[in-house]
Amino acid sequence: MQSLLGISLCNTFRMLALFLNFQLLIHGFGAFQNGLQERTWRTLSESAYCLLTQAGLKVQFWEFSFLTATYLYNRTWRSGSNNIPYSLVFKKKPDLSNVKVFGCPAHVVLPGQQRRKDQGRTRQGVFVGYS
């Protein structure tokens, strides 16, 4: 493939890739440059692990505990912004009346087609997060 100047576009892209790789080597990117993001991920990971441990659930529920940790993290106060992230986005205070303990017993109401007369109307489960 040729450009108008007769220089191969493939060579041009190779030169650009080499230049960008050289620039990345000079400036470098590492976890130390993303302090706030790395700290947030660490906080969320530790919170998710604590939720799993406290509930006595297996690692299979890691995703649910991480989502619950994120849900709670977004509804708690931050000193950096002196506000709650939820309030900054939605311009109102979050409703915390639905907050439950992760891993607590939960009852699910069964639809009429799945019920029998000799069974109850609910099935017991474990609370693993918010929808």
Side-chain angles (χ1 to χ4, degrees), residues 23-71:
Q23 291 299 320
L24 289 175
L25 288 175
I26 291 173
H27 297 290
F29 291 98
F32 61 90
Q33 292 177 325
N34 299 327
L36 181 62
Q37 291 83 3
E38 292 293 327
R39 181 63 189 150
T40 302
W41 276 105
R42 182 177 175 188
T43 301
L44 289 173
S45 297
E46 289 175 352
S47 298
Y49 180 74
C50 288
L51 289 172
L52 276 179
T53 304
Q54 180 269 335
L57 296 174
K58 297 180 181 178
V59 180
Q60 296 167 333
F61 294 100
W62 174 259
E63 178 183 356
F64 299 110
S65 67
F66 196 86
L67 290 173
T68 301
T70 304
Y71 180 86

Side-chain angles (χ1 to χ4, degrees), residues 51 54-55 57 68 72 98-106 126-130:
L51 289 172
Q54 180 269 335
L57 296 174
T68 301
L72 297 172
N98 65 339
V99 174
K100 306 281 187 268
V101 176
F102 184 81
C104 70
V126 177
F127 177 75
V128 291
Y130 305 92

Side-chain angles (χ1 to χ4, degrees), residues 81-96:
S81 62
N82 200 20
N83 209 337
I84 299 170
Y86 184 91
S87 299
L88 293 173
V89 173
F90 296 107
K91 308 291 186 226
K92 62 180 183 177
K93 291 185 177 181
D95 179 23
L96 300 177

Side-chain angles (χ1 to χ4, degrees), residues 7 21 24 31 68 85 115:
I7 303 171
N21 283 335
L24 289 175
T68 301
R115 281 188 263 177

